[in-house]
Amino acid sequence: MFSFINVVHIIIIFQGTLLTLYIFFSNRKKIKSNLLLSTIIGVLTIQVLSLFLANRNIEAHFFQNINSMYGYAYGPLLFLYNRSITRAQFKFRLKDIFHFIPSLIVFLNVVFNYGDSILFGIYLGYPIHIALYLFLCFLEVRTYKRVIKDNYSKLEWLNLGWLQWTFTIFSLIVVVDIIQFIFFLSNYNSAQLETVVFILILAAINLLYFKGFMSNRKHIGINNEDMTLSSSMSARKKRTVSSDKVLNDIKRINQHIIDNESFKNPDLTIALLAQELDINKRTLSELINDHYKVNFASFINNYRINNAKQRLMHQTDSKETILEILYDVGFNSKSSFNTSFKKSTGLTPSEFKNKHQ
């Protein structure tokens, strides 16, 4: 007879297997990230399958002892998957295999020693191991966002909240798993905590699939040149004195953007604007950072918001919609426009429009 937790096992195994196969054999772009995504979901599915078999007293001792092996695999898999999304030049290198040595050691220990001799040490090391990788993942997303803001004007490329939620869910799984292990050592009933772990695993699988694979996210991975510019801007000292030349350069930049409506190009980058102005892009970045005290993304989106505000206050076409305006001023996402607009004005675009009619 199946218990409630067995039912959850079966749901995860069934859904995880289908999603793993579907993603693996899909012809969608971002092949490297999809392969890693299918691997993560596949490993989660195999782990749940092994626990299901152990729960049914099928090779229970072996599957219980091998369980911690999976914990040592998730950190590297999430880290590499994260990089496959945030780095344009990501490649799986031979040295990346070294990330999986701890997991391999656990597996070999179980195979040859049945895992009993260092079982406690393995469980003690697993949360530290995955916590380190999750920390690196959060840092990677943070770096990605900073570099995007310094080089690109598309705010929708910053929408990696789903990825951070994935890391958060895995962090919760680790925390609950540790509490469950403490309960086990203290002879307390941990069945409810075990159910929580599997519900979190189910949530992680669905989040990865619907946001990491099915969602029509449009983002770009950062390259080495982007990172070099961003790093140089972070390391340098800000200039506080503005010479006549600097002020003239600032005036020329501002005039060029307004006259040519460069901000309306949704694909505008600092490299492209520097090319239009015939100026070095690092110099341009320094001028923007020092004079306006903002990054490139904020600098360009201020022009877009100001243009949208003018058009909402002085509409020449009463049939023109807010959606048409946001696309025309250079935004590619309604949510990004609404967020930026409210941050600038304290009002939603609709509220602002009604106020000035």
Side-chain angles (χ1 to χ4, degrees), residues 43 54 79-80 128 136 138 207 241 294 300 327 330 357:
V43 172
F79 178 71
L80 293 173
I128 298 173
L136 292 175
F138 279 111
L207 182 60
V241 179
V294 294
I300 295 300
Y327 281 122
Q357 278 184 339

Side-chain angles (χ1 to χ4, degrees), residues 310-345:
Q310 290 300 316
R311 290 173 66 165
L312 288 171
M313 286 190 294
H314 311 289
Q315 281 194 282
T316 56
D317 182 0
S318 60
K319 294 182 179 180
E320 186 177 49
T321 66
I322 293 175
L323 192 64
E324 290 173 325
I325 291 174
L326 78 89
Y327 281 122
D328 191 58
V329 299
F331 282 93
N332 265 346
S333 165
K334 184 178 179 180
S335 60
S336 296
F337 173 70
N338 289 341
T339 300
S340 299
F341 196 94
K342 189 166 186 178
K343 183 178 179 181
S344 173
T345 65

Side-chain angles (χ1 to χ4, degrees), residues 251-314:
K251 184 178 179 180
R252 183 166 75 91
I253 293 167
N254 182 60
Q255 199 63 48
H256 173 87
I257 293 173
I258 294 173
D259 291 346
N260 294 277
E261 296 187 324
S262 303
F263 58 87
K264 288 189 175 182
N265 177 7
D267 298 315
L268 186 66
T269 66
I270 195 165
L272 182 58
L273 183 60
Q275 186 178 5
E276 290 178 3
L277 290 160
D278 192 24
I279 189 175
N280 180 277
K281 70 176 183 178
R282 176 169 176 174
T283 301
L284 176 59
S285 184
E286 289 176 353
L287 288 168
I288 292 171
N289 276 260
D290 292 343
H291 185 78
Y292 291 99
K293 304 295 188 292
V294 294
N295 52 53
F296 177 72
S298 297
F299 174 67
I300 295 300
N301 281 289
N302 282 337
Y303 285 97
R304 293 170 176 168
I305 293 298
N306 287 334
N307 189 259
K309 285 161 59 178
Q310 290 300 316
R311 290 173 66 165
L312 288 171
M313 286 190 294
H314 311 289

